[in-house]
Amino acid sequence: MIELKQLSASQADFWSSLEEILAWEGVSDDKVTDIVKEILAEVKSRGDEAVLEYSRRFDHVTAEKMSDLEISLERAKAALENIPAEQRQALEAAAQRVRQYHDHQKQSSWSYKEEDGTLLGQQVTPLDRAGLYVPGGKAAYPSSVLMNAIPAKVAGVQELIMVVPTPNGEVNELVLAAAAVAGVDRIFAVGGAQAVAALAYGTETIPQVDKIVGPGNIFVATAKGMVFGTVGIDMIAGPSEILVICDGKTDPDWIAMDLFSQAEHDEDAQSILISPDADFLEKVKVSIAKLLPTMERKEIISTSLKNRAALIHVDDMDVAVEVANFIAAEHLELSVDEPMEMAKKIRHAGAIFLGRYTPEALGDYCAGPNHVLPTSRTARFSSPLGVYDFQKRSSLIQVSAQGAQSLGQIASVLARGESLTAHARSAEYRLKD
Amino acid sequence: MIELKQLSASQADFWSSLEEILAWEGVSDDKVTDIVKEILAEVKSRGDEAVLEYSRRFDHVTAEKMSDLEISLERAKAALENIPAEQRQALEAAAQRVRQYHDHQKQSSWSYKEEDGTLLGQQVTPLDRAGLYVPGGKAAYPSSVLMNAIPAKVAGVQELIMVVPTPNGEVNELVLAAAAVAGVDRIFAVGGAQAVAALAYGTETIPQVDKIVGPGNIFVATAKGMVFGTVGIDMIAGPSEILVICDGKTDPDWIAMDLFSQAEHDEDAQSILISPDADFLEKVKVSIAKLLPTMERKEIISTSLKNRAALIHVDDMDVAVEVANFIAAEHLELSVDEPMEMAKKIRHAGAIFLGRYTPEALGDYCAGPNHVLPTSRTARFSSPLGVYDFQKRSSLIQVSAQGAQSLGQIASVLARGESLTAHARSAEYRLKD
């Protein structure tokens, strides 16, 4: 039977033990940094030529020119038509729900006028162009294409450019199908740091974008970090996490499988269960032992559970909430009777799954909300990927001639207090006497 | 007479010349990086002790223990009472307007219910605790305290902690007064990378925050970049910029002073004027020559203008708008007859100042909108600092037993398509048959 860490919130060293279990440091490897730096510099200065060279070297593609690496939308549409009908329907149904949900996130320009005619507000506009990185090969997730692309298109991004490596020419049909469903505008079969560089700086063939989103390996993440400022980027994600709070009245098999669904992502994924019912924690352990041998990804799941999982006993649900707010989990499942009451007390979580019929898996694919969520306690200060990540605001300030009199006085005093006299005089010019 | 770069949008190499003028690379200095790395590590492991040591070494403070470096709110309130009445009134009037404007930015939780009872939405919550970095000594700007602190308090941040270095014990009374007006909760007289580290990791005396905002020197900026992920940070700003589009009908002295108000910030600040009226450009040059000798900061202004300013002649206003969208300026002044019509065509700008009575200086201090704005063309993908930077969202997903049937089917198909069978089985458990 697999050894799981067990904690009780009433033990003396509980909070420090919890902190130890949660601790996660992304690897920052000087060697990776150096390689990525070089790739960025080469692509910046040599464009297509450099991208092609790296794609030949790392992905073993045989293309002779960059345009050979563009995958046409016709090709993506053909993929959509050729996958099994069941998959096509599932993709389309998921996309529709995701689109519908994200429509609620659109932000609008606003303004108000003051008595003297001064107008203040914000003008909301979409990004012109966004880049979507999609990992290649086996770890390619069509659902990730939907979740990253749809908010951009809902925001009104005019051109959405997807890059996806095709190691040895291998293309994932489901990923192409998802791109067609999501409304991606152009697709290039490039990956790695060279793809990030191409999107950030632009090449002869690949247009420069304003923001790059989507998951990738350490080279991709490092490259994104380095081009940040030249373009926008999304959060760089740590390992995925689930925290389940259960009152003990959900089928322990269900809860075990929910924990597995996180653990199967990778060895570093974290699954934590909190319950005030000590017997229930035992029952879930039994379910884990029973179900684990039946899982396709049992090696990954058992490593993940052994290294990073925990079962936490609490005295009552108030303590459970306190622990949940400390953990600020990416996914928080409230498998309890009155989940909405409990959700109101949650201050930090990427996504909250309420009730016994809302396993995280539904949110990952098709409930509607985004599955790109803040990890590693960053839900304390950040949000799920959304339409708002593809819109930005410009302040609007139209001061009337009358308004300039009162505001000019205030600005003049404050500017002189900061010894910025050009500011002061610029305001004073607008004063009438 | 000062030499200014002049361009015409109709010249063959216009866009590449413009790109050259705009080019800006932040200095990334390995030596600074190493120093900051060490400071972060020391403060992380030794807390107060390390912060004290660095404060003694870099700021020559004489404090013997960390608590001596806390500045009480009473002390800040006393500063507010002791500054000249005119300054106090100006600070309070500015704060009130900034608060009023930012109230409009508050985002609320939302949700909707589907026919089968499934509920979807987002819960919006404030950050628990934020840190505000304020530069010390001469470059201390009380207006910056208001602009960074007020959005946090409007968002509902419970505890706002300000850090400000006091080199040789020197305290800026206006900064303390602004802190009192803005509702800062605690103030520590520490600065530099050690202050950023203390806020990011927490020490025995300084509480850990969830996000750090506010401007600082290269050590502060580097430290913020390094702690990003452990805490949130605001954008790291480049030099300040103004772009003025004028139809030629504004007093050229006014426009010259508006350009100065940017140039006086520092030698790297950028001031650009676009007009379809070539004569007007000449008139502004004359105004610049006439007014420059009268300016307190004439050395800074003339260096900034010489190095980074440009006068751009365009054939018509459509070209002016095109150039403005390329520049994506931090401050964009539309000194024209129908500024709102023109603003609607602006896709990228930090703040848009409309009409002849809206010099940038009014927005910097008291119009209401924030003066922390995206620089260096980052307005293509980012927004002014706002209440939204101190709020974050958690997805809400409550699937009904009925909803779990249809969603479970879709999730199961997609999960199996991605070979994530624990996800599939977790969804399938909720299916009734």
Side-chain angles (χ1 to χ4, degrees), chain B residues 56-74:
Chain B
R56 289 204 198 100
R57 192 190 311 170
F58 298 134
D59 296 334
H60 314 291
V61 301
T62 54
E64 301 214 335
K65 53 187 195 303
M66 198 56 220
S67 57
D68 294 343
L69 288 178
E70 178 154 11
I71 299 175
S72 69
L73 289 189
E74 286 64 40

Side-chain angles (χ1 to χ4, degrees), chain A residues 185-203:
Chain A
D185 295 291
R186 293 182 75 179
I187 306 170
F188 293 94
V190 296
Q194 60 273 21
V196 174
L199 292 171
Y201 306 126
T203 70

Side-chain angles (χ1 to χ4, degrees), chain A residues 25 44 86-87 90-91 93-94 97 100-101 104-105 107 110 112 114 119-123 125 127-128 141-143 174 209-210 229-232 235 253-254 257-258 260-261 264-265 291 294-297 333 339-340 343 346-354 356-359 361-367 369 378-384 388 392-401 404 407-408 410-411 413-415 417-423 425-427 429-430 432, chain B residues 25 44 86-87 90-91 93-94 97 100-101 104-105 107 110 112 114 119-123 125 127-128 141-143 174 209-210 229-232 253-254 257-258 260-261 264-265 291 294-297 333 339-340 343-344 346-354 356-359 361-367 369 378-384 388 392-401 404 407-408 410-411 413-415 417-423 425-427 429-430 432:
Chain A
E25 293 257 3
K44 193 175 181 180
E86 188 187 50
Q87 287 188 327
L91 271 181
R97 292 190 58 89
Q100 201 166 16
Y101 175 86
H104 291 263
Q105 292 179 337
Q107 317 200 69
W110 55 271
Y112 60 95
E114 300 186 315
L119 175 144
L120 300 168
Q122 282 192 316
Q123 179 162 292
T125 45
L127 275 61
D128 283 349
Y141 294 140
S143 61
L174 275 174
V209 302
D210 300 303
T230 302
V231 295
M235 290 285 294
D253 283 359
W254 292 18
M257 194 59 75
D258 296 353
F260 287 178
S261 77
E264 77 173 339
H265 273 297
L291 293 169
T294 73
M295 302 308 300
E296 278 83 349
R297 297 164 80 101
E333 210 173 290
M340 191 53 88
I346 297 297
R347 297 197 314 279
H348 315 297
I352 308 174
F353 299 81
L354 300 100
R356 307 185 207 281
Y357 282 91
T358 315
L362 299 187
D364 281 350
Y365 290 107
C366 58
T378 59
R380 291 178 297 125
F381 53 84
S382 48
S383 302
Y388 35 78
K392 70 293 189 293
R393 307 171 181 82
S394 303
S395 307
L396 292 175
I397 316 176
Q398 181 165 24
V399 178
S400 67
L407 294 185
I410 301 170
V413 170
L414 293 175
E418 296 182 352
S419 306
L420 293 175
T421 44
H423 283 71
R425 289 175 65 180
S426 163
Y429 271 146
R430 273 75 175 185
K432 295 166 175 171
Chain B
E25 292 257 3
K44 193 175 181 180
E86 188 187 50
Q87 286 188 328
L91 271 182
R97 292 189 59 87
Q100 200 165 18
Y101 176 85
H104 291 262
Q105 292 178 338
Q107 316 201 70
W110 56 272
Y112 60 96
E114 300 187 315
L119 175 144
L120 300 169
Q122 281 191 318
Q123 179 162 294
T125 45
L127 275 59
D128 283 348
Y141 293 141
S143 60
L174 276 175
V209 302
D210 300 302
T230 301
V231 296
D253 283 0
W254 292 18
M257 195 60 74
D258 295 353
F260 287 178
S261 76
E264 76 174 339
H265 274 296
L291 293 168
T294 72
M295 302 307 300
E296 278 82 349
R297 297 163 79 101
E333 208 171 291
M340 191 53 89
K344 285 178 188 153
I346 298 297
R347 297 199 313 280
H348 314 297
I352 309 174
F353 300 81
L354 300 99
R356 307 183 207 281
Y357 282 91
T358 315
L362 299 187
D364 281 349
Y365 289 107
C366 57
T378 58
R380 292 178 295 123
F381 54 84
S382 49
S383 302
Y388 35 78
K392 63 317 189 271
R393 306 170 182 84
S394 303
S395 307
L396 292 175
I397 316 174
Q398 181 165 23
V399 178
S400 66
L407 294 185
I410 301 170
V413 170
L414 293 174
E418 296 182 351
S419 306
L420 294 175
T421 44
H423 284 69
R425 289 176 64 180
S426 163
Y429 271 146
R430 273 77 176 184
K432 295 165 175 170

Side-chain angles (χ1 to χ4, degrees), chain A residues 287-335:
Chain A
S287 291
I288 288 175
K290 174 187 73 183
L291 293 169
L292 186 56
T294 73
M295 302 308 300
E296 278 83 349
R297 297 164 80 101
K298 52 178 162 290
E299 275 76 27
I300 297 176
I301 294 173
S302 76
T303 308
S304 157
L305 293 182
K306 212 161 13 184
N307 292 345
R308 304 210 67 217
L311 305 179
I312 301 176
H313 180 256
V314 290
D315 283 342
D316 57 43
M317 283 305 189
D318 285 342
V319 179
V321 166
E322 195 187 342
V323 175
N325 279 326
F326 181 82
I327 294 177
E330 182 191 13
H331 305 96
L332 173 62
E333 210 173 290
L334 306 180
S335 208

